[in-house]
Amino acid sequence: ARSLDKLYNFADCSGLHLIFALNALRRNPNNSWNSSNALSLLKYSASKKYNISWELGNEPNNYRTLMGRSVNGSQLGKDYTQLRSLLQLIRTYSRAHLYGPNIGRPRKNVVAFLEGFMKVAGGTVDAVTWQHYYIDGRVAKVTDFLKTRLLDTLSDQIRKIQKVVNTYTPGKKIWLEGVGMTSAGGMNNLSDSYAAGFLWLNTLGLLASQGIDVVVRHSFLDHGHNHLVDQNFNPLPDYWLSLLYKRLIGPKVLAIHVAGLQRKPRPGRVIRDKLRIYAHCTSYHNHNYVRGSITLYIINLHRSRKKIKLAGTLRDKIVHQYLLQPYGKDGLHSKSVQLNGQPLAMVDDGTLPELKPRPLRAGRTLVIPPLTMSFYVVKNVNALACRYR
């Protein structure tokens, strides 16, 4: 109870919503879920009027390997149906959200697991969840983070999950509920470095363009080396990247065409672009920009600078540049970043620095330095898609 109190109070005072995963490995002799402990926790939580969403278990496809217990998809589906019934018995949680099954990478056996789950409990969950880790943490090296082939692995996984979900519950929301640059808790000096940001920003852009509207990051603090904040509460590169994303990027995704980038594929050859450009409506919550503005975010994996000219209605607009680069002598390994040449650091324990843009005159060519990530707000475009929510 004390642990739950601490966790809920942290989430509540941070303006976050808590999703709590109950233990799925408490089993009866017939392998059905033993819910007695969960019921005690639910009753306690309800007595405190905690606003919590729920799920059951974590990466259930790995239970045999990790715990020596096996639960198949249809059995977990029955367990979720049981949990939904429990929630409906408790007034506080009769309409609480329920998410799952939080499976791992959709290989053949995991896809079969998801199919079994969806047949039984597809209508029971509010969103279908899965996890993705890009690299085996035991072999990661900094050049891995620059491989376009690696960046593209996520796209194939999304299609596999969408195919199963749309077969059983068309239109059901899909969330990426666990994402990290590396498995096994990450690698020191790599997955908490500037280099890991290429995968993170590409993940956010790719998922948004595929209609996945929630991404849960593993983790915020002090777990392995995939966290956003270090042990002394200093923000790491992916924190600053995430903060810029939240400040500048709205949920509406825009189609974008880049002349000279979309090359014709040759037979048997896959084009994997090292310059990746995404576009969204600028966040409505950012009062520095009027509605109708758009934000581009660009990943340059080339070892040379690239020039981009804005065309059409974007050509004569003022642009605000937010260029994120590593700070210090460690280069891509750096745990510090600079924004438009200024190092980013907390002003004091409770104050974030101002994230100042660099204004570019109208019509100016965008120059993207090598191996960088950047955001460009095109002001006052009055884009029709971005004027209304």
Side-chain angles (χ1 to χ4, degrees), residues 336-348:
S336 302
V337 294
Q338 53 186 328
L339 179 65
N340 297 325
Q342 297 297 314
L344 288 178
M346 298 289 288
V347 176
D348 56 46

Side-chain angles (χ1 to χ4, degrees), residues 194 323-327 334 336-341 369-373:
Y194 178 87
L323 173 63
L324 209 59
Q325 294 173 288
Y327 177 69
S334 179
S336 302
V337 294
Q338 53 186 328
L339 179 65
N340 297 325
L371 300 174
T372 56
M373 294 165 278

